[in-house]
């Protein structure tokens, strides 16, 4: 068994959630915050059989769009006022981690 941790843009979270559930995946959605942009995103926990992992990744990829978002001013500029990061960054589609599950218990 695997645990997929998927970080998804808030604007895509509803369609990712709906389509995972429709396809029979058990999903937990957690409100999260990106450390770089310091804006909200959604983290999904999906416990599933090994052979279903690629199916879940396909669904998440299909409903997660790439988009550009402005970099916050306090990250983009140093104290001298010089730009240190690009004014915009490309965010997404989704960032995924696939972990081995040692034990899955429901009591
Ligand atoms: P954020 O941390 O808010 O990052 C938003 C976007 O900013 C990233 O998009 C990336 O394009 C850029 N970025 C992040 N850290 C950067 C840095 N140190 N220098 C330059 N640019 C940087 P994505 O890569 O698509 O990531 C979207 C969200 O996924 C992230 O939001 C974060 O919440 C999560 N994430 C991505 N990679 C991660 C990782 N290795 N570990 C944990 N969370 C991750």
């Amino acid at each position: 068994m695997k645990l997929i941790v998927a970080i998804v843009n808030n604007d895509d979270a509803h369609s990712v959630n709906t389509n995972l559930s429709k396809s029979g995946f058990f999903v937990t959605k957690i409100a999260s915050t990106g450390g770089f942009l310091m804006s909200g995103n959604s983290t999904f926990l999906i416990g599933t059989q090994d052979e279903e992992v690629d199916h879940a990744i396909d669904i998440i990829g299909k409903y997660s769009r790439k988009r550009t978002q402005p970099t916050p001013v306090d990250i983009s500029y140093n104290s001298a006022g010089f730009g240190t990061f690009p004014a915009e960054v490309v965010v997404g589609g989704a960032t995924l981690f696939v972990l081995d599950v040692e034990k899955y218990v429901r009591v």
Side-chain angles (χ1 to χ4, degrees), residues 13-76:
H14 182 76
S15 49
V16 167
N17 196 350
T18 305
N19 285 286
L20 284 169
S21 296
K22 265 191 203 164
S23 297
F25 290 100
F26 284 24
V27 175
T28 297
K29 178 171 160 293
I30 301 171
S32 47
T33 304
F36 189 69
L37 294 180
M38 291 176 263
S39 63
N41 51 31
S42 296
T43 299
F44 290 92
L45 304 180
I46 307 145
T48 191
Q49 297 308 316
D50 293 21
E51 57 275 16
E52 285 298 317
V53 167
D54 288 340
H55 184 200
I57 291 173
D58 285 346
I59 294 169
I60 295 164
K62 183 172 175 188
Y63 293 98
S64 298
R65 288 196 302 112
K66 270 197 169 67
R67 47 181 55 85
T68 55
Q69 283 185 226
T71 308
V73 173
D74 56 344
I75 290 179
S76 307

Coordinates of all heavy atoms in Angstrom, one line a residue, residues 13-76:
A13 N -8.5 22.4 -6.3 CA -8.8 21.4 -5.3 C -10.1 20.7 -5.4 O -10.3 19.5 -5.2 CB -8.6 22.0 -3.9
H14 N -11.1 21.5 -5.8 CA -12.5 21.0 -5.8 C -12.6 19.9 -6.9 O -13.1 18.8 -6.6 CB -13.5 22.1 -6.0 CG -14.9 21.6 -6.0 ND1 -15.6 21.2 -4.9 CD2 -15.8 21.3 -7.1 CE1 -16.8 20.8 -5.2 NE2 -16.9 20.8 -6.5
S15 N -12.1 20.2 -8.1 CA -12.2 19.2 -9.2 C -11.3 18.0 -8.9 O -11.7 16.9 -9.3 CB -12.0 19.9 -10.6 OG -10.9 20.6 -10.6
V16 N -10.1 18.2 -8.4 CA -9.3 17.1 -8.0 C -10.0 16.2 -7.0 O -10.1 15.0 -7.2 CB -7.9 17.6 -7.5 CG1 -7.1 16.4 -6.9 CG2 -7.1 18.2 -8.6
N17 N -10.5 16.8 -6.0 CA -11.2 16.0 -4.9 C -12.4 15.2 -5.5 O -12.5 14.0 -5.3 CB -11.7 17.0 -3.9 CG -12.1 16.4 -2.6 OD1 -12.2 15.1 -2.5 ND2 -12.3 17.2 -1.6
T18 N -13.2 15.9 -6.3 CA -14.4 15.3 -6.8 C -14.1 14.1 -7.7 O -14.7 13.0 -7.6 CB -15.2 16.3 -7.7 OG1 -15.5 17.5 -6.8 CG2 -16.5 15.8 -8.2
N19 N -13.1 14.3 -8.6 CA -12.8 13.3 -9.5 C -12.0 12.1 -8.9 O -12.2 10.9 -9.3 CB -12.0 13.9 -10.7 CG -12.9 14.6 -11.6 OD1 -13.7 14.0 -12.4 ND2 -12.9 15.9 -11.5
L20 N -11.2 12.3 -7.9 CA -10.6 11.2 -7.1 C -11.7 10.4 -6.4 O -11.7 9.2 -6.5 CB -9.7 11.7 -6.1 CG -8.3 12.2 -6.6 CD1 -7.5 13.0 -5.5 CD2 -7.4 11.1 -7.1
S21 N -12.7 11.1 -5.8 CA -13.7 10.4 -5.1 C -14.6 9.6 -6.0 O -15.0 8.4 -5.8 CB -14.6 11.4 -4.3 OG -13.8 12.0 -3.3
K22 N -15.0 10.2 -7.2 CA -15.8 9.5 -8.2 C -15.1 8.2 -8.7 O -15.8 7.3 -9.0 CB -15.9 10.4 -9.4 CG -17.2 11.2 -9.4 CD -17.3 11.9 -10.8 CE -18.2 13.1 -10.8 NZ -18.0 13.9 -12.0
S23 N -13.8 8.3 -8.7 CA -13.0 7.1 -9.2 C -12.8 6.1 -8.1 O -12.0 5.1 -8.3 CB -11.7 7.5 -9.8 OG -12.0 8.3 -10.9
G24 N -13.3 6.3 -6.9 CA -13.3 5.3 -5.8 C -12.1 5.5 -4.8 O -11.9 4.7 -4.0
F25 N -11.3 6.6 -5.0 CA -10.2 6.8 -4.0 C -10.8 7.4 -2.7 O -11.7 8.2 -2.7 CB -9.2 7.8 -4.6 CG -8.4 7.1 -5.8 CD1 -8.7 7.4 -7.1 CD2 -7.4 6.3 -5.5 CE1 -8.0 6.8 -8.1 CE2 -6.7 5.7 -6.5 CZ -7.0 6.0 -7.8
F26 N -10.1 7.0 -1.6 CA -10.4 7.6 -0.3 C -9.5 8.7 -0.1 O -8.3 8.6 -0.3 CB -10.2 6.5 0.8 CG -11.3 5.5 0.9 CD1 -12.1 5.2 -0.2 CD2 -11.6 4.9 2.1 CE1 -13.2 4.3 -0.1 CE2 -12.6 3.9 2.2 CZ -13.4 3.6 1.2
V27 N -10.0 9.9 0.2 CA -9.2 11.1 0.2 C -9.4 11.9 1.4 O -10.5 12.1 1.9 CB -9.7 12.0 -1.0 CG1 -9.0 13.3 -1.0 CG2 -9.5 11.3 -2.4
T28 N -8.3 12.5 2.0 CA -8.4 13.5 3.0 C -7.8 14.8 2.5 O -6.7 14.7 2.0 CB -7.7 13.0 4.3 OG1 -8.3 11.9 4.8 CG2 -7.7 14.1 5.4
K29 N -8.5 15.9 2.6 CA -8.0 17.2 2.1 C -7.7 18.0 3.3 O -8.5 18.2 4.2 CB -9.1 17.8 1.3 CG -8.8 19.2 0.7 CD -9.9 19.6 -0.3 CE -10.0 21.0 -0.5 NZ -10.4 21.8 0.6
I30 N -6.5 18.6 3.3 CA -6.0 19.4 4.4 C -5.7 20.8 3.9 O -5.0 20.9 2.8 CB -4.7 18.8 5.1 CG1 -5.0 17.4 5.6 CG2 -4.2 19.7 6.2 CD1 -3.7 16.7 6.0
A31 N -6.2 21.8 4.6 CA -5.8 23.2 4.2 C -4.4 23.4 4.6 O -3.9 23.2 5.7 CB -6.7 24.2 4.9
S32 N -3.6 23.9 3.6 CA -2.1 24.1 3.8 C -1.7 25.4 3.3 O -2.4 26.1 2.6 CB -1.3 22.9 3.2 OG -1.8 22.7 1.9
T33 N -0.5 25.8 3.6 CA 0.1 27.1 3.1 C 1.5 26.8 2.5 O 2.3 26.2 3.2 CB 0.2 28.1 4.3 OG1 -1.1 28.2 4.9 CG2 0.7 29.4 3.8
G34 N 1.7 27.3 1.3 CA 3.0 27.2 0.7 C 4.0 28.1 1.4 O 3.7 29.2 1.7
G35 N 5.2 27.5 1.7 CA 6.2 28.2 2.4 C 6.8 29.4 1.7 O 7.4 30.3 2.3
F36 N 6.8 29.3 0.3 CA 7.4 30.4 -0.5 C 6.5 31.5 -0.7 O 6.8 32.7 -0.4 CB 7.9 29.7 -1.8 CG 8.8 30.7 -2.6 CD1 10.0 31.0 -2.2 CD2 8.3 31.2 -3.8 CE1 10.8 31.9 -2.9 CE2 9.1 32.0 -4.6 CZ 10.4 32.4 -4.1
L37 N 5.3 31.2 -1.3 CA 4.3 32.3 -1.6 C 3.5 32.7 -0.4 O 2.9 33.7 -0.4 CB 3.4 31.8 -2.7 CG 4.0 31.6 -4.1 CD1 3.0 31.2 -5.1 CD2 4.7 32.9 -4.6
M38 N 3.5 31.8 0.6 CA 2.8 32.0 1.9 C 1.3 32.2 1.6 O 0.6 33.1 2.2 CB 3.4 33.2 2.7 CG 4.7 32.9 3.2 SD 5.5 34.2 4.1 CE 6.6 34.8 2.8
S39 N 0.8 31.5 0.5 CA -0.6 31.6 0.2 C -1.2 30.2 0.3 O -0.4 29.2 0.3 CB -0.9 32.2 -1.1 OG -0.3 31.4 -2.1
G40 N -2.5 30.1 0.5 CA -3.2 28.8 0.7 C -3.1 27.9 -0.5 O -3.1 28.2 -1.6
N41 N -2.9 26.6 -0.1 CA -3.0 25.5 -1.1 C -3.7 24.3 -0.4 O -4.1 24.5 0.8 CB -1.7 25.1 -1.8 CG -0.5 24.9 -0.9 OD1 -0.7 24.4 0.2 ND2 0.7 25.2 -1.3
S42 N -3.9 23.3 -1.1 CA -4.6 22.1 -0.5 C -3.7 20.9 -0.6 O -3.1 20.6 -1.6 CB -5.9 21.8 -1.2 OG -6.8 22.9 -1.1
T43 N -3.6 20.2 0.5 CA -2.8 18.9 0.6 C -3.8 17.8 0.7 O -4.6 17.7 1.6 CB -1.8 19.0 1.7 OG1 -0.9 20.1 1.5 CG2 -1.0 17.7 1.8
F44 N -3.7 16.8 -0.2 CA -4.5 15.6 -0.2 C -3.7 14.4 0.3 O -2.5 14.3 -0.1 CB -5.0 15.3 -1.6 CG -6.0 16.3 -2.2 CD1 -5.6 17.4 -2.9 CD2 -7.3 16.1 -1.9 CE1 -6.5 18.3 -3.4 CE2 -8.3 17.0 -2.4 CZ -7.9 18.1 -3.1
L45 N -4.3 13.7 1.2 CA -3.7 12.4 1.6 C -4.6 11.3 1.0 O -5.8 11.3 1.2 CB -3.7 12.2 3.1 CG -3.1 13.3 3.9 CD1 -3.2 13.0 5.4 CD2 -1.6 13.4 3.6
I46 N -3.9 10.4 0.2 CA -4.7 9.4 -0.5 C -4.0 8.0 -0.2 O -2.9 7.8 -0.7 CB -4.7 9.6 -2.0 CG1 -5.2 11.0 -2.3 CG2 -5.5 8.6 -2.8 CD1 -4.5 11.7 -3.5
G47 N -4.7 7.2 0.6 CA -4.1 5.8 0.8 C -4.7 4.9 -0.3 O -5.9 4.9 -0.4
T48 N -3.8 4.2 -0.9 CA -4.3 3.3 -2.0 C -3.4 2.2 -2.3 O -2.2 2.1 -1.8 CB -4.5 4.2 -3.3 OG1 -5.2 3.4 -4.3 CG2 -3.2 4.7 -3.9
Q49 N -3.9 1.2 -3.0 CA -3.1 0.0 -3.4 C -2.0 0.4 -4.4 O -2.2 1.4 -5.2 CB -4.0 -1.1 -4.0 CG -5.0 -1.6 -3.0 CD -4.4 -2.1 -1.7 OE1 -3.3 -2.7 -1.7 NE2 -5.0 -1.7 -0.6
D50 N -0.9 -0.3 -4.4 CA 0.3 0.1 -5.3 C -0.2 0.3 -6.7 O 0.2 1.2 -7.4 CB 1.3 -1.0 -5.2 CG 2.0 -1.1 -3.8 OD1 1.4 -0.6 -2.9 OD2 3.1 -1.6 -3.8
E51 N -1.0 -0.7 -7.2 CA -1.4 -0.7 -8.6 C -2.3 0.5 -9.0 O -2.6 0.7 -10.2 CB -1.9 -2.1 -9.0 CG -3.1 -2.5 -8.3 CD -2.8 -3.3 -7.0 OE1 -1.7 -3.2 -6.5 OE2 -3.7 -3.9 -6.4
E52 N -2.9 1.2 -8.0 CA -3.8 2.3 -8.3 C -3.1 3.6 -8.3 O -3.7 4.7 -8.5 CB -4.9 2.3 -7.3 CG -6.0 1.2 -7.6 CD -6.6 1.4 -8.9 OE1 -7.0 2.5 -9.3 OE2 -6.8 0.4 -9.6
V53 N -1.8 3.7 -7.9 CA -1.1 4.9 -7.7 C -1.0 5.7 -9.0 O -1.3 6.9 -9.0 CB 0.4 4.7 -7.2 CG1 1.2 5.9 -7.3 CG2 0.3 4.2 -5.7
D54 N -0.7 5.1 -10.1 CA -0.6 5.8 -11.4 C -2.0 6.4 -11.8 O -2.0 7.5 -12.4 CB 0.0 4.9 -12.5 CG 1.5 4.7 -12.3 OD1 2.1 5.4 -11.5 OD2 2.0 3.7 -12.8
H55 N -3.0 5.6 -11.5 CA -4.4 6.1 -11.8 C -4.7 7.4 -11.1 O -5.1 8.4 -11.6 CB -5.4 5.0 -11.5 CG -6.8 5.3 -11.9 ND1 -7.9 4.7 -11.3 CD2 -7.3 6.3 -12.7 CE1 -9.0 5.2 -11.8 NE2 -8.7 6.2 -12.7
A56 N -4.3 7.4 -9.8 CA -4.5 8.6 -9.0 C -3.7 9.8 -9.5 O -4.2 10.9 -9.6 CB -4.2 8.4 -7.5
I57 N -2.5 9.5 -9.9 CA -1.6 10.6 -10.4 C -2.1 11.1 -11.7 O -2.1 12.3 -11.9 CB -0.1 10.0 -10.6 CG1 0.5 9.7 -9.2 CG2 0.7 11.0 -11.4 CD1 1.9 9.1 -9.3
D58 N -2.7 10.3 -12.5 CA -3.3 10.7 -13.8 C -4.4 11.7 -13.5 O -4.5 12.8 -14.2 CB -3.8 9.6 -14.6 CG -2.7 8.8 -15.3 OD1 -1.6 9.3 -15.3 OD2 -3.0 7.6 -15.7
I59 N -5.3 11.4 -12.6 CA -6.4 12.2 -12.3 C -5.9 13.6 -11.7 O -6.4 14.6 -12.1 CB -7.4 11.5 -11.2 CG1 -8.0 10.3 -11.9 CG2 -8.4 12.5 -10.7 CD1 -8.7 9.4 -10.9
I60 N -5.0 13.5 -10.8 CA -4.5 14.8 -10.2 C -3.9 15.6 -11.2 O -4.1 16.8 -11.3 CB -3.5 14.4 -9.0 CG1 -4.2 13.7 -7.9 CG2 -2.8 15.7 -8.5 CD1 -3.3 13.0 -6.9
G61 N -3.1 15.0 -12.1 CA -2.4 15.8 -13.2 C -3.4 16.4 -14.2 O -3.3 17.5 -14.6
K62 N -4.5 15.6 -14.4 CA -5.5 16.1 -15.4 C -6.2 17.3 -14.9 O -6.6 18.2 -15.7 CB -6.5 15.0 -15.7 CG -7.5 15.3 -16.7 CD -8.4 14.0 -17.0 CE -9.5 14.4 -18.0 NZ -10.4 13.3 -18.1
Y63 N -6.4 17.4 -13.6 CA -7.2 18.5 -13.1 C -6.4 19.6 -12.4 O -7.0 20.5 -11.8 CB -8.3 18.0 -12.2 CG -9.3 17.2 -12.9 CD1 -9.2 15.8 -13.0 CD2 -10.3 17.8 -13.7 CE1 -10.1 15.0 -13.7 CE2 -11.2 17.1 -14.4 CZ -11.1 15.7 -14.4 OH -12.0 15.0 -15.2
S64 N -5.1 19.5 -12.5 CA -4.2 20.6 -11.9 C -3.5 21.4 -13.0 O -2.7 20.9 -13.7 CB -3.1 19.9 -11.0 OG -3.7 19.2 -10.0
R65 N -3.9 22.6 -13.0 CA -3.3 23.5 -14.1 C -2.0 24.2 -13.6 O -1.9 24.4 -12.4 CB -4.3 24.6 -14.5 CG -5.5 24.1 -15.3 CD -6.2 25.2 -16.0 NE -6.7 26.2 -15.0 CZ -6.3 27.4 -15.0 NH1 -5.3 27.8 -15.8 NH2 -6.8 28.3 -14.1
K66 N -1.1 24.4 -14.5 CA 0.1 25.3 -14.3 C -0.4 26.7 -14.3 O -1.2 27.1 -15.2 CB 1.1 25.1 -15.3 CG 2.1 24.0 -15.1 CD 3.3 24.2 -16.0 CE 4.5 23.4 -15.6 NZ 4.3 22.0 -15.8
R67 N 0.1 27.6 -13.4 CA -0.3 29.0 -13.5 C 0.9 29.8 -12.9 O 1.7 29.3 -12.2 CB -1.6 29.3 -12.7 CG -1.5 28.6 -11.4 CD -2.7 28.8 -10.5 NE -4.0 28.4 -11.1 CZ -4.6 27.2 -11.0 NH1 -3.9 26.2 -10.6 NH2 -5.8 27.0 -11.5
T68 N 0.9 31.1 -13.3 CA 2.0 32.0 -12.7 C 1.3 32.8 -11.6 O 0.2 33.2 -11.7 CB 2.6 32.9 -13.7 OG1 1.5 33.7 -14.3 CG2 3.4 32.2 -14.8
Q69 N 2.1 33.0 -10.5 CA 1.6 33.8 -9.4 C 2.7 34.8 -9.0 O 3.9 34.4 -9.1 CB 1.3 32.9 -8.2 CG 0.0 32.1 -8.4 CD -0.5 31.3 -7.1 OE1 -0.9 30.2 -7.3 NE2 -0.4 31.9 -6.0
P70 N 2.3 36.0 -8.6 CA 3.4 36.9 -8.2 C 4.1 36.5 -6.9 O 3.5 35.9 -6.0 CB 2.5 38.2 -8.0 CG 1.1 37.8 -7.8 CD 1.0 36.4 -8.5
T71 N 5.4 36.8 -6.9 CA 6.2 36.5 -5.7 C 6.0 37.6 -4.7 O 6.0 38.8 -5.1 CB 7.7 36.5 -6.1 OG1 7.9 35.6 -7.2 CG2 8.6 36.0 -5.0
P72 N 5.8 37.3 -3.4 CA 5.5 38.4 -2.5 C 6.7 39.4 -2.4 O 7.8 39.0 -2.6 CB 5.4 37.7 -1.1 CG 5.2 36.3 -1.5 CD 5.7 36.0 -2.8
V73 N 6.4 40.7 -2.3 CA 7.4 41.7 -2.3 C 8.5 41.5 -1.3 O 9.7 41.6 -1.6 CB 6.7 43.1 -2.1 CG1 7.8 44.2 -2.0 CG2 5.8 43.4 -3.3
D74 N 8.2 41.0 -0.1 CA 9.2 40.8 0.9 C 10.2 39.7 0.6 O 11.3 39.6 1.2 CB 8.6 40.7 2.3 CG 7.6 39.5 2.4 OD1 7.2 39.1 1.4 OD2 7.3 39.1 3.6
I75 N 9.8 38.8 -0.3 CA 10.7 37.7 -0.8 C 11.5 38.2 -2.0 O 12.7 37.9 -2.2 CB 10.0 36.4 -1.1 CG1 9.5 35.8 0.2 CG2 10.9 35.4 -1.8 CD1 8.7 34.5 0.0
S76 N 10.8 39.0 -2.9 CA 11.4 39.4 -4.2 C 12.5 40.4 -4.0 O 13.4 40.4 -4.8 CB 10.4 40.0 -5.1 OG 9.3 39.2 -5.2

